[in-house]
């Protein structure tokens, strides 16, 4: 920390599950004091909680309504917001490099600039890892950003429009959606799609039979769906997916994606008009070139238990872009981990300002909940007494799932604003279609 600057400059890069919660907390805490200035840098203008991206892809959530404007959040909670994409750092000068932001015509909107920090927090999240599989970049969509999720939805709607007006017989790949990866994202997306495609065709596309014409397939390299969760939970999810007429291929590694099919190592060919890649994560590549900071093989920055980078104690990392030790393993890339780290970081920052030693972060796993759209929710919750996992399903699990997002919103807006927004949404849902139609 620099001892001679009057105002301590905290720069947080990435306004996602971890970074935005931290900027809001620090902004609230220090807004009436000149001691600390908090700046959030993000490449987007609005925040959408990443676990909702599959709902945008399926059309059950409208990103224009759900997005939170960073500028507004900054004004309400006492921090500054800078639009831009960080692409480098100078640790000696203590500045981050921010690339120019271009408008839709390619003209410079915000020029390249440096932003100075005393404490830097990197929270830029992760991207899907396609392991260099042939054809994925060209023919598959990943759910990394709201724009990608919206693009998938747009293509799905167009595919339905085309099929509903066509007089020729359907091509083998037509209206066939293949999802690669049966983790939480893949499973939740399949269930949500089954629901929304039924609604979608009800609005003027009645010539399509949603259950027969719209085929959904999940391909998973592991032996079961939801491989990271307890076997009982995955068996249950599998049963529910079968009921929804979702085809599941396990033990199949995808080797190639083309415009019309997905090929696996065993030689299977799955005709597909739309392909979603939802297998594996890695951190953004630029993190591996940050002025000597250490990364692991998936570009996550190595941090100490106090979330400081191993090479620079003024730089902290949280969320998916941190490789943070957790017992004998690592903290998993989850929203609940990013959120806990944001809270921990706030406490540690206060200690830092008081000249006290930093505390190690300890991750608490509260379990996992998988939403199967309106059909069900399944999950396992950690008992706080026995630390054993409890299997939950149905309405209770659904409520717990909604509670998780509610918690994130409450951290950003407080109880009053969150409740008013929820009431507003309930009212508008009564007068609008439940699925985005374009
Ligand atoms: C479809 C889906 C469903 C999920 N469901 C769950 C779930 O149910 N439960 C759960 O615990 N986790 C879930 N996750 C994982 C969870 O979303 C992530 O673990 C969590 O969002 C990570 O938080 P983060 O703060 O590290 O990054 P993110 O929330 O990803 O935020 C990163 C931010 O950094 C910004 N950014 C990126 N690069 C730059 C740059 N160079 N310069 C400036 N800004 C940059 C991005 O615009 C973004 O705002 C899900 C993920 C997906 C994709």
């Amino acid at each position: 920390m620099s001892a001679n600057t009057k105002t301590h400059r905290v720069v947080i890069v990435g306004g996602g599950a971890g970074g935005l919660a931290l900027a809001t907390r620090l902004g609230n805490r220090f807004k009436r004091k000149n001691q600390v200035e908090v700046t959030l840098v993000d490449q987007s203008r609005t925040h959408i909680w990443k676990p909702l991206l599959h709902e945008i892809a399926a059309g059950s959530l409208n990103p224009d309504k759900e997005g939170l404007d960073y500028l507004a959040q900054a004004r309400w909670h006492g921090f500054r917001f800078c639009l831009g994409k960080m692409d480098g750092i100078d640790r000696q000068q203590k500045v981050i490099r921010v690339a120019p932001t271009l408008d839709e015509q390619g003209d410079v909107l915000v020029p390249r600039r440096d932003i100075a920090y005393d404490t830097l927090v990197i929270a830029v999240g992760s991207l899907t890892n396609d392991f260099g599989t042939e054809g994925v970049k060209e023919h598959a969509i990943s759910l990394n950003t709201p724009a990608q999720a919206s693009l998938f939805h747009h293509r799905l709607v167009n595919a339905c429009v085309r099929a509903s007006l066509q007089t020729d017989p359907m091509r083998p790949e037509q209206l066939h959606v293949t999802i690669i990866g049966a983790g939480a994202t893949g499973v939740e997306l399949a269930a949500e799609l089954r629901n929304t495609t039924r609604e979608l065709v009800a609005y003027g596309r009645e010539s399509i039979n949603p259950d027969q014409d719209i085929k959904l397939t999940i391909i998973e390299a592991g032996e079961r769906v939801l491989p990271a969760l307890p076997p009982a939970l995955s068996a249950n999810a599998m049963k529910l997916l079968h009921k929804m007429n979702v085809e599941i291929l396990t033990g199949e590694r995808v080797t190639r994606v083309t415009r019309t099919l997905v090929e696996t190592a065993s030689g299977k060919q799955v005709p597909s008009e739309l392909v979603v890649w939802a297998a594996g994560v890695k951190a953004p590549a630029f993190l591996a070139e940050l002025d000597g900071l250490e990364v692991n093989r998936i570009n996550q920055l190595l941090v100490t238990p106090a979330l400081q980078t191993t090479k620079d104690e003024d730089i902290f990392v949280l969320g998916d872009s941190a490789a943070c030790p957790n017992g004998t393993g690592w903290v998993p890339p989850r929203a609940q981990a990013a959120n806990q780290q944001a809270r921990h970081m706030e406490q540690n920052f206060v200690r830092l300002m008081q000249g006290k030693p930093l505390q190690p972060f300890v991750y608490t796993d509260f379990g996992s909940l998988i939403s199967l759209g309106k059909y069900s929710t399944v999950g396992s919750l950690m008992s706080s007494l026995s630390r054993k996992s409890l299997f939950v399903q149905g309405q209770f699990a659904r409520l717990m799932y909604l509670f998780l997002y509610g918690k994130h919103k409450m951290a950003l807006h407080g109880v009053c604003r969150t409740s008013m927004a929820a009431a507003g949404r309930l009212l508008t849902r009564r007068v609008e279609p439940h699925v985005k139609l374009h």
Side-chain angles (χ1 to χ4, degrees):
M1 184 190 338
S2 63
N4 49 5
T5 41
K6 265 185 37 217
T7 302
H8 188 96
R9 295 157 303 179
V10 182
V11 174
I12 301 165
V13 186
L20 184 56
L22 179 64
T24 304
R25 285 174 171 277
L26 289 181
N28 284 340
R29 185 181 272 266
F30 290 105
K31 68 182 165 197
R32 285 191 191 85
K33 305 172 186 147
N34 292 330
Q35 192 190 8
V36 175
E37 178 189 87
V38 181
T39 302
L40 176 69
V41 180
D42 200 286
Q43 61 192 1
S44 307
R45 293 166 199 241
T46 52
H47 161 78
I48 288 192
W49 198 50
K50 212 173 168 186
L52 296 177
L53 291 186
H54 70 283
E55 294 188 28
I56 295 175
S60 47
L61 195 90
N62 187 337
D64 301 333
K65 291 192 178 152
E66 202 60 34
L68 169 63
D69 203 311
Y70 284 121
L71 276 174
Q73 183 74 358
R75 183 174 148 82
W76 293 330
H77 296 277
F79 61 90
R80 288 174 61 224
F81 173 66
C82 291
L83 176 67
K85 182 170 181 161
M86 172 186 174
D87 62 359
I89 191 173
D90 183 333
R91 293 202 283 130
Q92 200 114 49
Q93 300 288 321
K94 298 188 90 170
V95 292
I96 61 159
R97 309 260 186 245
V98 182
T101 304
L102 309 180
D103 65 14
E104 296 77 19
Q105 283 85 37
D107 295 328
V108 174
L109 184 67
V110 186
R112 173 170 281 286
R113 61 195 156 151
D114 290 349
I115 298 177
Y117 65 85
D118 296 300
T119 296
L120 174 64
V121 183
I122 299 176
V124 292
S126 60
L127 310 166
T128 43
N129 190 350
D130 65 18
F131 308 99
T133 309
E134 188 185 336
V136 172
K137 276 193 183 62
E138 298 81 3
H139 305 295
I141 295 180
S142 299
L143 302 186
N144 290 317
T145 62
Q148 288 169 327
S150 296
L151 175 69
F152 173 84
H153 177 67
H154 189 67
R155 289 192 182 162
L156 176 72
V157 172
N158 283 356
C160 290
V161 171
R162 218 173 280 126
S164 69
L165 298 175
Q166 143 182 343
T167 46
D168 296 340
M170 292 258 218
R171 298 186 310 278
E173 79 281 6
Q174 226 177 333
L175 292 183
H176 196 152
V177 180
T178 298
I179 299 163
I180 301 163
T185 305
V187 167
E188 291 191 332
L189 176 64
E192 199 70 29
L193 278 174
R194 181 51 82 215
N195 176 28
T196 53
T197 48
R198 281 178 184 158
E199 292 223 16
L200 193 61
V201 298
Y203 287 89
R205 312 275 162 230
E206 289 86 355
S207 60
I208 299 173
N209 178 335
D211 293 334
Q212 276 170 24
D213 296 334
I214 300 181
K215 298 184 205 91
L216 299 175
T217 301
I218 302 180
I219 305 181
E220 165 61 42
E223 289 310 311
R224 57 188 175 91
V225 301
L226 302 171
L229 300 182
L233 205 155
S234 81
N236 212 281
M238 188 115 150
K239 221 163 39 186
L240 289 162
L241 287 167
H242 278 311
K243 264 198 201 156
M244 293 173 214
N245 198 17
V246 175
E247 182 190 24
I248 299 165
L249 304 176
T250 51
E252 294 284 351
R253 191 173 53 81
V254 170
T255 50
R256 189 162 83 109
V257 180
T258 73
R259 232 193 117 133
T260 52
L261 44 91
V262 174
E263 282 175 5
T264 70
S266 73
K268 276 211 170 64
Q269 297 198 324
V270 183
S272 314
E273 182 169 15
L274 291 166
V275 179
V276 177
W277 186 274
V281 295
K282 63 176 181 188
F286 81 96
L287 296 180
E289 281 150 33
L290 281 189
D291 204 1
L293 297 181
E294 281 186 299
V295 290
N296 62 12
R297 67 183 168 77
I298 57 163
N299 304 328
Q300 287 174 313
L301 289 159
L302 300 190
V303 294
T304 66
L307 303 177
Q308 277 164 314
T309 52
T310 48
K311 296 284 175 193
D312 191 326
E313 62 176 22
D314 292 327
I315 303 179
F316 294 75
V317 191
L318 45 98
D320 289 5
S321 37
C324 176
N326 180 36
T328 53
W330 303 95
V331 174
R334 308 266 295 277
Q336 56 170 316
N339 194 272
Q340 287 174 34
Q341 288 176 332
R343 267 188 284 158
H344 185 80
M345 181 71 217
E346 181 199 8
Q347 298 304 324
N348 258 353
F349 181 72
V350 173
R351 298 182 73 83
L352 188 83
M353 294 300 287
Q354 293 168 343
K356 292 184 182 163
L358 303 185
Q359 295 292 318
F361 170 72
V362 180
Y363 173 59
T364 309
D365 185 356
F366 290 108
S368 301
L369 292 163
I370 309 295
S371 164
L372 298 169
K374 69 170 195 180
Y375 305 101
S376 187
T377 299
V378 294
S380 62
L381 294 178
M382 283 292 172
S383 154
S384 52
L385 291 176
S386 63
R387 298 308 303 153
K388 283 202 179 120
S389 107
L390 307 170
F391 183 71
V392 289
Q393 190 176 352
Q395 279 309 321
F396 174 70
R398 179 80 198 146
L399 276 177
M400 294 306 293
Y401 186 86
L402 294 175
F403 174 71
L404 269 186
Y405 183 40
K407 239 177 115 188
H408 174 68
K409 286 183 126 174
M410 230 104 82
L412 300 183
H413 307 303
V415 180
C416 191
R417 204 186 278 251
T418 307
S419 313
M420 283 195 302
R425 209 166 310 109
L426 268 180
L427 283 176
T428 50
R429 272 186 85 78
R430 300 185 79 90
V431 292
E432 285 177 355
H434 290 182
V435 59
K436 198 163 174 277
L437 301 174
H438 51 82

